[in-house]
Amino acid sequence: MESFFKSIALALATFLLPVRPLLLVIGFAILVDTIFGIIASKKCNEPILSNKLARVSTKSVIYMTLTLLTYGIDIVLLNALLMNYLKIHLLFTKLVGVGIVIVEVFSIDEKIRKMNDNKGIWYYFTLILSKGKAFTGALKDVKKDVDELKK
């Protein structure tokens, strides 16, 4: 009887293996959102309530269940149809996963805006790009100076 349950568990694990990376990305997005939520609460002097933290587990269960249901539908029904036209394996599952991650990114952006006077992810992204451009320009100047010294 024990080997029967091991066989079932192994078959289930094998079936779910292709969707595991997507589940990990979704879990990571939820974790980052939770971390930013805690940081925002601390910075804004708001209490961290257990019912808000309980929503994390509810959200995780809902997102993972939705992804697994989509994966099941994709495997059984849609994948064969979509592969004839688009040649993208598990397209429906991937689209749902990307949608979930986008929702989490918007949630993270809200928390960053709450902490930083309405300056969100895009503000910091452009700031990093401008610093990177300035650094690259400085490196080019140093390289030009070194090349002139070699002459």
Side-chain angles (χ1 to χ4, degrees):
M1 191 61 140
E2 184 180 328
S3 66
F4 173 74
F5 288 120
K6 283 184 181 179
S7 298
I8 296 292
L10 185 60
L12 185 62
T14 304
F15 176 72
L16 295 176
L17 194 60
V19 78
R20 189 180 83 175
L22 184 58
L23 294 174
L24 290 173
V25 168
I26 291 169
F28 180 73
I30 293 169
L31 177 68
V32 170
D33 182 40
T34 304
I35 290 169
F36 273 101
I38 292 170
I39 293 169
S41 292
K42 290 280 190 187
K43 190 166 184 179
C44 297
N45 294 322
E46 296 175 357
I48 299 173
L49 303 173
S50 61
N51 63 347
K52 284 186 178 181
L53 285 175
R55 282 191 238 158
V56 173
S57 60
T58 304
K59 179 170 48 170
S60 298
V61 168
I62 290 170
Y63 285 172
M64 300 299 171
T65 302
L66 176 64
T67 304
L68 291 174
L69 286 173
T70 305
Y71 173 67
I73 291 169
D74 219 352
I75 288 290
V76 173
L77 187 63
L78 295 176
N79 200 41
L81 296 171
L82 291 175
M83 286 297 284
N84 290 330
Y85 300 105
L86 298 174
K87 306 290 186 219
I88 300 173
H89 186 61
L90 302 174
L91 176 64
F92 188 53
T93 305
K94 290 174 183 175
L95 288 175
V96 167
V98 166
I100 290 170
V101 171
I102 287 172
V103 167
E104 288 301 298
V105 168
F106 278 117
S107 179
I108 292 166
D109 185 57
E110 280 178 14
K111 290 169 178 94
I112 291 173
R113 287 177 182 280
K114 183 178 178 180
M115 293 185 296
N116 296 310
D117 298 326
N118 209 24
K119 295 176 187 167
I121 291 174
W122 186 251
Y123 170 79
Y124 289 103
F125 179 72
T126 55
L127 184 67
I128 289 169
L129 281 181
S130 67
K131 297 289 183 186
K133 286 179 184 177
F135 182 70
T136 303
L139 282 179
K140 286 180 183 177
D141 290 343
V142 168
K143 183 181 182 303
K144 192 165 114 181
D145 291 344
V146 169
D147 288 342
E148 287 179 10
L149 288 173
K150 286 182 180 177
K151 293 180 182 177

